[in-house]
Amino acid sequence: MKKTILGIDPGTNIMGYGLLDVDAGKAQMATMGVVDLRKFADPYRKLGYIFERVTGIVEAYHPDEMAIEAPFFGKNIQSMLKLGRAQGTAIAAATRLGIPIHEYAPMKIKMAITGMGQASKEQVAAMLQRILKIAPKDMCDFMDATDALAAAYCHFMQLGRPAPQAHYSGWKDFVNKNRERVCNH
């Protein structure tokens, strides 16, 4: 089944985005980039621009789903509030266009890509480059773009995860829960 996943790394200065095309259980990067918000002094204008850009990305690439990085809990409450507003604005733009949203904690994304929840942005970018076979010329100068692509890849990995296996307390429990699989001789 073909599908496109949009990943977003919300930010109030730089917002990253990355798109993965998924086909036959394999993912490849479609594109990645950033939305530079540093030119806006007005924080509300930044939010408006985030809304416009996410809407434009969705209209251009027609993603089936969006994966977004959850704000992390830091010490600076004002920064966290601003980041939450940016994330909410990106979510509002995508949901307005009918795109299902999936939110992932930064540690979960890093763990999915590198196997280490405390991995650096550079480690995440390098691992994505290897996994997705991204040419050096196609790598973005801003790690926000690879963070967004990492969110999309994390979601892709969640899609491929098999359903949880049933747990049994013993052979009798297995037989009772799987009568159709057990021969009655």
Side-chain angles (χ1 to χ4, degrees):
M1 173 173 77
K2 289 184 178 184
K3 139 181 315 215
T4 300
I5 303 169
L6 168 62
I8 295 284
D9 178 33
T12 55
N13 288 321
I14 304 286
M15 182 191 82
Y17 66 91
L19 285 116
L20 278 182
D21 285 331
V22 178
D23 190 11
K26 296 191 190 254
Q28 71 177 35
M29 182 187 77
T31 191
M32 70 173 149
V34 296
V35 176
D36 191 344
L37 302 159
R38 296 174 295 184
K39 59 188 167 201
F40 300 107
D42 181 357
Y44 302 108
R45 181 64 189 120
K46 285 183 181 190
L47 296 176
Y49 194 64
I50 289 170
F51 191 88
E52 289 171 20
R53 291 298 298 129
V54 171
T55 298
I57 292 165
V58 169
E59 289 173 345
Y61 292 97
H62 308 287
D64 300 289
E65 300 182 53
M66 184 171 96
I68 192 163
E69 186 174 307
F72 59 93
F73 296 100
K75 293 178 182 167
N76 187 329
I77 300 297
Q78 285 302 320
S79 293
M80 200 169 80
L81 285 171
K82 288 176 187 174
L83 192 57
R85 287 177 180 163
Q87 184 204 37
T89 300
I91 289 170
T95 56
R96 180 178 156 267
L97 297 169
I99 307 300
I101 310 297
H102 305 276
E103 184 178 41
Y104 296 99
M107 188 177 276
K108 180 167 182 104
I109 294 169
K110 291 175 181 182
M111 184 67 111
I113 306 304
T114 68
M116 299 180 305
Q118 299 299 323
S120 69
K121 289 177 173 286
E122 291 80 10
Q123 289 170 316
V124 170
M127 189 61 79
L128 277 175
Q129 188 174 8
R130 268 185 245 128
I131 293 169
L132 297 171
K133 297 174 178 67
I134 303 170
K137 67 176 180 58
D138 294 329
M139 292 298 288
C140 190
D141 292 338
F142 291 91
M143 297 287 173
D144 309 84
T146 49
D147 284 353
L149 194 61
Y153 195 82
C154 177
H155 182 62
F156 161 71
M157 291 181 66
Q158 298 303 305
L159 295 175
R161 186 170 278 179
Q165 297 296 314
H167 295 285
Y168 307 104
S169 60
W171 179 247
K172 239 182 193 181
D173 188 32
F174 174 82
V175 171
N176 287 334
K177 291 179 179 174
N178 295 280
R179 295 237 177 244
E180 73 284 354
R181 296 173 61 190
V182 179
C183 290
N184 292 326
H185 291 282

